[in-house]
Amino acid sequence: MTIVGHLINGRTQTTAERTQPVYNPSTGEVSAQVALASRSTVEEAIAAAQAAFPAWRATPPIKRARIMFRFKELLEKNADRICELIGQEHGKIRHDAMGELQRGIENVEYACGAPELLKGEHSRNVGPDIDAWSEFQPLGVVAGITPFNFPAMVPLWMYPSALVCGNCFVLKPSERDPSSTLLIAQLLQEAGLPDGVMNVVNGDKEAVDTLLEDQRVQAVSFVGSTPIAEYIYSKASANGKRCQALGGAKNHAIVMPDADMDNAVNQLVGAAFGSSGERCMALSVAVAVGDAAADALISKMTEAMKNLKVGAYCDSDNDFGPVITREHQEKVIGHINSAEAQGATVVVDGRQPKVAGYENGFFVGGTLIDHVTPEMSSYRQEIFGPVLQVVRVKTMEEAMQLINDHEYGNGTCIFTRDGEAARYFTDHIQVGMVGINVPLPVPVAYHSFGGWKRSLFGDLHAYGPDSIRFYTRRKAITQRWPSAGVREGVEFSMPTMK
Ligand code: NAD
């Protein structure tokens, strides 16, 4: 059986003391084994990155950027192979995997602008014969730890920016679907990256803890669930590392009485059930303002959901595939059961979908639940499955209060035709990424991505301009070249320009 190994110092390693099965969620069968790196394997990767750093740091940004241009071409050329691996191990349908990869490539395109992005700030004549500037220097060895739900895109949020800034990288991908992530890193190597600049170690908690404890690792980027994000942030910070840790979500869409209901329903269907709801920006709660809007929404959603097709990743006619594991399938179904037991109404029930030929796959069908209330555990917790819950409120203020009171603050959206209401919403909502009639307001690569509240621990967001700041350290330099013959006297007071 295939062993998915590591990429260390430019070479793929497949020997491992411990391994774990990787499943094909569409069939329920084991498709490979992933190597779980020991502490010493991770230390080997960190050492390779540390050794590669001096030469990489000295490489002109334009040369680093040229590797990214070649990398982008290789990603496009190998898109079919990459998306097949994503489908096999994650369960994503081809068109969705292609969308994920394209969003990842856009981060590579952003990194191609390194020479422009790394320009410092310069001030001439801040004093007599004195010039001052700030420059942005790389940190050294930096690490990334990523989740299963975007095995191509989320790692690409991190290392293209980190590398063009002059850092060396150690990536610890999700052990549940590691193959596409490893293939992409091999393509970067093929694009001409020097050995040791980019390393991938597969593994579990042992690998993560080694990265968090090793003094050579200067910064950690994490994306995953909130309890682990909080753990990573506290441990990395306690060990003196810079850290950004993006966590879970519960994204609400407010459906106003004046919304174009057909359009809102189309958008909600895609954003709630696409990728089986396993997106941190999936819309999982619709907050309908007024019973008339709620009734119209439920009736139109029920109609639209009759056409939803759940099935294996390899049939592009399907709308979405299985969830990631049997355990996760049971967890999602458990949330539907608990909502029902606590008084909600399951309007469309996806607990027992029939997928002919794939009876052992980890499928959950699209599910719509009405009369959900904020006290229910299915409302408070992230479900991360193809489940849309509807909460009924009387006013927009009540809807906004619900969102602001929720522990997560990743994404949100309002469906309305009222510009004044939309403007008020964007101004006052306590959420990091906001859509107006846009259900998945995932920022484009040249803006940065991040939630508020317990959806992000740290200050700087992922990718885009914030990533250039995250992966560099500011150095402020003040320089004087005195004019010939000018001598300054002794000065004991604080220098000023009075
Ligand atoms: P996860 O937290 O289980 O795993 C993420 C990473 O942490 C993996 O690499 C995993 O190996 C590692 N990990 C898991 N348990 C650990 C432990 N005890 N100690 C150290 N490391 C550990 O998340 P997941 O299930 O892979 O991904 C889904 C979650 O990620 C959802 O909560 C989703 O909302 C979130 N997510 C957030 C964003 C965002 O941008 N905010 C994006 C994608 C996914």
Side-chain angles (χ1 to χ4, degrees):
M1 179 162 285
T2 312
I3 297 214
V4 187
H6 319 295
L7 177 72
I8 299 176
N9 208 15
R11 280 174 292 283
T12 305
Q13 294 187 7
T14 51
T15 46
E17 290 155 25
R18 292 187 301 135
T19 60
Q20 176 177 311
V22 178
Y23 288 88
N24 177 338
S26 298
T27 62
E29 287 162 4
V30 174
S31 61
Q33 293 284 331
V34 59
L36 301 176
S38 63
R39 183 166 285 268
S40 67
T41 304
V42 178
E43 285 172 351
E44 196 189 326
I46 297 169
Q50 180 88 336
F53 179 57
W56 184 243
R57 178 188 196 277
T59 303
I62 186 86
K63 290 197 170 177
R64 297 184 207 139
R66 283 187 192 132
I67 296 173
M68 289 297 152
F69 277 105
R70 287 197 288 277
F71 181 39
K72 168 185 149 67
E73 279 175 23
L74 286 171
L75 288 171
E76 285 166 350
K77 214 166 111 190
N78 289 277
D80 282 339
R81 258 173 93 198
I82 295 168
C83 291
E84 175 62 23
L85 288 175
I86 296 176
Q88 272 173 24
E89 295 183 354
H90 176 285
K92 228 172 252 198
I93 312 296
R94 175 60 59 103
H95 46 78
D96 189 25
M98 282 288 184
E100 150 167 17
L101 181 61
Q102 178 55 31
R103 290 302 290 255
I105 289 173
E106 288 167 15
N107 295 110
V108 179
E109 290 170 340
Y110 183 75
C112 288
E116 172 69 22
L117 298 169
L118 287 168
K119 284 199 299 204
E121 299 160 352
H122 191 271
S123 301
R124 189 172 163 78
N125 273 343
V126 297
D129 300 325
I130 301 177
D131 303 327
W133 71 92
S134 289
E135 56 186 49
F136 297 93
Q137 300 194 345
L139 305 175
V141 179
V142 299
I145 301 155
T146 51
F148 80 83
N149 65 323
F150 286 107
M153 182 183 80
V154 169
L156 289 170
W157 285 0
M158 300 175 181
Y159 61 81
S161 286
L163 295 179
V164 294
C165 288
N167 302 286
C168 294
F169 207 90
V170 181
L171 174 68
K172 207 301 284 170
S174 171
E175 63 276 40
R176 297 192 218 159
D177 50 5
S179 296
S180 60
T181 321
L182 186 65
L183 170 61
I184 290 174
Q186 286 162 336
L187 293 174
L188 177 55
Q189 201 70 29
E190 197 181 320
L193 200 71
D195 292 350
V197 173
M198 172 72 195
N199 305 274
V200 179
V201 286
N202 277 303
D204 53 11
K205 185 169 168 54
E206 181 173 342
V208 171
D209 285 343
T210 308
L211 291 169
L212 297 176
E213 284 159 15
D214 196 298
Q215 288 308 307
R216 292 167 294 183
V217 175
Q218 303 295 320
V220 177
S221 298
F222 171 87
V223 176
S225 60
T226 286
I228 309 299
E230 192 165 27
Y231 166 75
I232 303 276
Y233 186 75
S234 342
K235 189 157 177 154
S237 307
N239 286 333
K241 300 179 197 314
R242 185 178 288 188
C243 185
Q244 53 179 186
L246 284 73
K250 194 80 176 178
N251 306 312
H252 298 60
I254 298 183
V255 182
M256 295 288 281
D258 69 346
D260 174 339
M261 199 56 79
D262 290 321
N263 184 52
V265 165
N266 285 343
Q267 305 292 310
L268 273 165
V269 168
F273 307 121
S275 205
S276 305
E278 290 176 323
R279 291 178 181 143
C280 65
M281 290 292 276
L283 283 180
S284 52
V285 181
V287 188
V289 178
D291 274 332
D295 292 342
L297 177 69
I298 291 287
S299 115
K300 284 179 187 284
M301 279 298 291
T302 307
E303 198 51 37
M305 287 174 69
K306 287 187 180 145
N307 301 322
L308 272 186
K309 283 179 76 179
V310 55
Y313 78 95
C314 43
D315 181 350
S316 283
D317 281 345
N318 290 328
D319 297 312
F320 61 94
V323 297
I324 186 72
T325 56
R326 174 78 64 212
E327 193 190 15
H328 191 55
Q329 179 194 35
E330 285 163 3
K331 188 175 147 197
V332 173
I333 291 172
H335 276 299
I336 304 170
N337 293 342
S338 86
E340 193 174 43
Q342 289 169 25
T345 314
V346 179
V347 181
V348 180
D349 190 345
R351 281 174 284 193
Q352 287 180 327
K354 300 267 171 295
V355 182
Y358 294 90
E359 284 73 16
N360 295 321
F362 311 142
F363 296 100
V364 181
T367 298
L368 179 66
I369 310 180
D370 195 5
H371 299 292
V372 171
T373 60
E375 301 73 38
M376 294 179 184
S377 52
S378 64
Y379 172 79
R380 289 198 311 273
Q381 294 168 21
E382 182 180 38
I383 299 179
F384 225 50
V387 180
L388 180 66
Q389 303 192 95
V390 177
V391 180
R392 294 170 176 243
V393 296
K394 293 196 167 51
T395 62
M396 176 178 162
E397 284 68 28
E398 209 185 319
M400 287 178 62
Q401 195 61 49
L402 263 183
I403 299 173
N404 288 346
D405 286 346
H406 205 285
E407 69 167 315
Y408 296 122
N410 215 39
T412 188
C413 163
I414 187 167
F415 292 106
T416 183
R417 288 185 168 107
D418 180 344
E420 186 187 353
R423 194 162 189 276
Y424 183 83
F425 178 72
T426 54
D427 204 16
H428 295 281
I429 205 73
Q430 300 296 309
V431 172
M433 293 171 283
V434 180
I436 309 297
N437 299 314
V438 171
L440 293 176
V442 179
V444 289
Y446 35 100
H447 288 259
S448 297
F449 180 109
W452 285 14
K453 298 186 277 185
R454 288 174 61 77
S455 292
L456 172 79
F457 300 86
D459 299 316
L460 290 168
H461 289 196
Y463 67 76
D466 272 16
S467 71
I468 304 301
R469 288 292 172 266
F470 183 80
Y471 294 120
T472 56
R473 191 173 274 152
R474 177 187 286 267
K475 187 175 275 179
I477 298 157
T478 308
Q479 170 180 275
R480 169 183 285 160
W481 293 111
S483 306
V486 175
R487 287 285 175 277
E488 293 274 319
V490 178
E491 181 58 78
F492 290 102
S493 53
M494 188 67 190
T496 66
M497 276 311 299
K498 242 180 121 182

